[in-house]
Amino acid sequence: ELWSPPIIHSKLPRLELHNNDFSGPLPKELFEDSSKLHALSVSSNGFNGALPSEIALATSLTFLSLSVNELDSAIPTEIGDLTVLRSLFADDVALKGTIPTEMGKMTALEILSMRYNSLNGSIPTEFGELTAVQTLEIDNNLLTGSLPDELQHMSSLVAFFWYRNKITGELPTSFSNLPHIETLNGAYNDHTGKIPTEWGELSILVELNLGVNYRLNTSIPSEFGNLKNLHDLYVNHTNACGRIPTEIGDMEELLVFRGMNSYLTGTIPTEIGKLTAMLDFEVRLNKLNGTLPTEIGEMHNLMTLLVDRNDLTGTLPTEMGENSRLRRLYTYYNELCGTVPSEWAVLTRLGSVPDDCRDQRDYECHLTVSDQYIAVLRNRFEHVIPTTIVEQCTIVIPDPPAPPPSPPPSPPPSPPPP
């Protein structure tokens, strides 16, 4: 139903209307005579139409939540008059148009979240004036242009999310000046150039996600070995050509490394054995060569190891029998040889065979351990299964393909004419 607001008492400090079924335009009367209103939430309703410019009259607002409505509106420039607002949530409200430069006047903001909208244009350089912002979320929009250098002045920034936009240009080296930054997530954009080596100075960085920036043409900086607090590093689906730096072993808190489909070359460094907290190591679909390091066996918390579709050689390390927490292990489409080690019989938590290696017929050897699978297809393994594994599991080795049917016999020659 359309909602007509009652007269808002001038001394009312909070108004919470979230999680209802209100519809219709957001009434301008909501903001009139509201000089004492400190918190307003209208999220999760069905309000539509323009965001009224009268919002600027609520000059005492410190908290404003508009999320999950259907405003289908541009952001009024008057919003910049909310100079004491500390939290603004405007996620999934169909905002469109550009971000007003006037928002740079909202210097009390600590949280600015405008996710899942249709905002376009560039990120205002005036955002550099928002020195109190700790969380900036502008992901899942249609923003273009490059990241402004002025963002380095957001000296309180802890988390910046700009993923799933159309941002271009190089990653600013100046981000190394952000003293409190813990999260940088710019995945699914169109960045070019290199990952700045200066980002290795971000000593308290916890998450760096640059995945799916296909034109990001760089190697992983060796300076990243200084990121002692980094938990998650994503460079997947980029042009992060070159070697995995040996300094990766110095990132002692690293839990997740995803570098699949990124033109990585060289060997997997033995130093990864130092990453005893690692849960997920994914480097499939690259040009890695050499052998699987025996040091992988020292990664006792490892749950996912995806090294398929590379140029790896040698045998499977017996030491990997120590990785008893493994749930996914893909080694197919390499040049690995030998047999599956009997020590692998303890790997009883492995998950199912991936879709992209089902129904293959060359060099196949599916090992089923407690109804789970080890995907070791399309290598050069011998079909010799250790007795210790045979005693615990069902072995599935496809029959060779049937020979083609013989051609039908030729008909007898016709008798000569009389």
Side-chain angles (χ1 to χ4, degrees):
E1 295 180 359
L2 292 174
W3 181 66
S4 297
I7 297 175
I8 304 301
H9 196 278
S10 60
K11 295 184 179 180
L12 186 65
R14 299 179 64 87
L15 181 59
E16 299 180 359
L17 303 172
H18 50 268
N19 297 318
N20 283 288
D21 294 318
F22 296 126
S23 60
L26 197 61
K28 63 181 181 179
E29 294 86 357
L30 195 62
F31 306 103
E32 295 175 345
D33 195 21
S34 58
S35 59
K36 301 297 183 182
L37 188 62
H38 296 297
L40 172 63
S41 176
V42 296
S43 59
S44 299
N45 280 288
F47 289 115
N48 54 40
L51 185 61
S53 59
E54 286 80 4
I55 193 172
L57 300 176
T59 55
S60 296
L61 275 180
T62 60
F63 177 92
L64 176 60
S65 180
L66 307 168
S67 298
V68 195
N69 280 288
E70 302 170 9
L71 298 181
D72 192 24
S73 166
I75 303 172
T77 58
E78 291 83 358
I79 199 170
D81 293 336
L82 302 180
T83 55
V84 299
L85 190 68
R86 293 201 298 265
S87 301
L88 173 57
F89 296 93
D91 305 324
D92 194 15
V93 289
L95 292 176
K96 59 186 179 182
T98 59
I99 300 174
T101 59
E102 288 80 0
M103 292 188 72
K105 297 187 298 181
M106 304 170 70
T107 54
L109 273 176
E110 298 174 358
I111 299 174
L112 175 55
S113 186
M114 300 186 294
R115 313 169 65 198
Y116 295 97
N117 288 294
S118 297
L119 295 170
N120 56 45
S122 58
I123 301 170
T125 58
E126 289 77 4
F127 270 17
E129 300 171 22
L130 303 179
T131 56
V133 167
Q134 299 174 24
T135 301
L136 176 58
E137 298 177 320
I138 51 175
D139 53 274
N140 288 278
N141 279 286
L142 303 173
L143 297 171
T144 56
S146 58
L147 295 175
D149 263 328
E150 287 79 2
L151 298 184
Q152 68 176 300
H153 301 304
M154 301 179 71
S155 54
S156 299
L157 194 61
V158 174
F160 179 26
F161 301 89
W162 72 98
Y163 61 91
R164 291 190 184 275
N165 278 286
K166 299 180 179 180
I167 304 293
T168 57
E170 297 189 359
L171 299 167
T173 59
S174 58
F175 278 15
S176 61
N177 296 323
L178 296 170
H180 301 292
I181 197 70
E182 296 180 6
T183 300
L184 290 170
N185 190 332
Y188 291 91
N189 277 288
D190 197 22
H191 286 295
T192 55
K194 298 182 178 181
I195 302 175
T197 58
E198 291 84 353
W199 286 16
E201 301 171 15
L202 298 173
S203 59
I204 62 172
L205 193 66
V206 174
E207 178 187 346
L208 177 58
N209 189 342
L210 300 172
V212 199
N213 279 277
Y214 291 104
R215 297 200 299 156
L216 195 60
N217 187 6
T218 181
S219 57
I220 302 169
S222 60
E223 289 81 358
F224 276 16
N226 297 322
L227 302 179
K228 306 296 186 182
N229 293 291
L230 195 67
H231 287 179
D232 302 322
L233 175 58
Y234 298 80
V235 292
N236 54 291
H237 299 88
T238 65
N239 196 9
C241 52
R243 294 174 174 268
I244 301 172
T246 58
E247 288 82 0
I248 193 174
D250 297 328
M251 301 162 69
E252 53 197 32
E253 298 294 325
L254 196 61
L255 301 178
V256 177
F257 176 74
R258 290 185 180 166
M260 67 280 267
N261 197 19
S262 297
Y263 301 95
L264 294 172
T265 58
T267 60
I268 299 175
T270 59
E271 286 78 4
I272 66 169
K274 299 178 184 179
L275 303 177
T276 54
M278 176 74 77
L279 302 175
D280 188 343
F281 187 77
E282 301 184 20
V283 291
R284 61 196 310 243
L285 290 157
N286 283 293
K287 296 293 182 182
L288 297 170
N289 54 42
T291 60
L292 281 173
T294 59
E295 288 79 2
I296 291 176
E298 299 170 18
M299 302 165 71
H300 298 303
N301 288 298
L302 193 63
M303 300 177 70
T304 298
L305 177 62
L306 309 185
V307 297
D308 54 282
R309 297 177 186 270
N310 281 286
D311 297 317
L312 299 174
T313 57
T315 58
L316 297 172
T318 59
E319 291 81 357
M320 284 177 59
E322 299 294 323
N323 301 116
S324 58
R325 298 189 66 190
L326 268 177
R327 294 181 182 275
R328 289 199 299 162
L329 171 59
Y330 299 170
T331 64
Y332 58 97
Y333 284 97
N334 280 290
E335 295 295 322
L336 298 168
C337 60
T339 62
V340 178
S342 59
E343 289 82 356
W344 285 26
V346 299
L347 305 181
T348 58
R349 298 184 179 185
L350 288 169
S352 60
V353 174
D355 289 339
D356 58 354
C357 72
R358 294 181 185 276
D359 300 323
Q360 304 293 337
R361 293 294 174 184
D362 295 334
Y363 302 114
E364 290 202 14
C365 180
H366 296 185
L367 304 183
T368 308
V369 182
S370 299
D371 297 325
Q372 309 291 337
Y373 289 87
I374 304 172
V376 294
L377 298 91
R378 284 189 181 265
N379 281 283
R380 300 190 179 277
F381 297 122
E382 303 168 17
H383 283 175
V384 178
I385 312 302
T387 303
T388 51
I389 293 181
V390 173
E391 291 173 350
Q392 299 183 50
C393 63
T394 304
I395 309 302
V396 183
I397 301 178
D399 294 329
S406 301
S410 302
S414 301

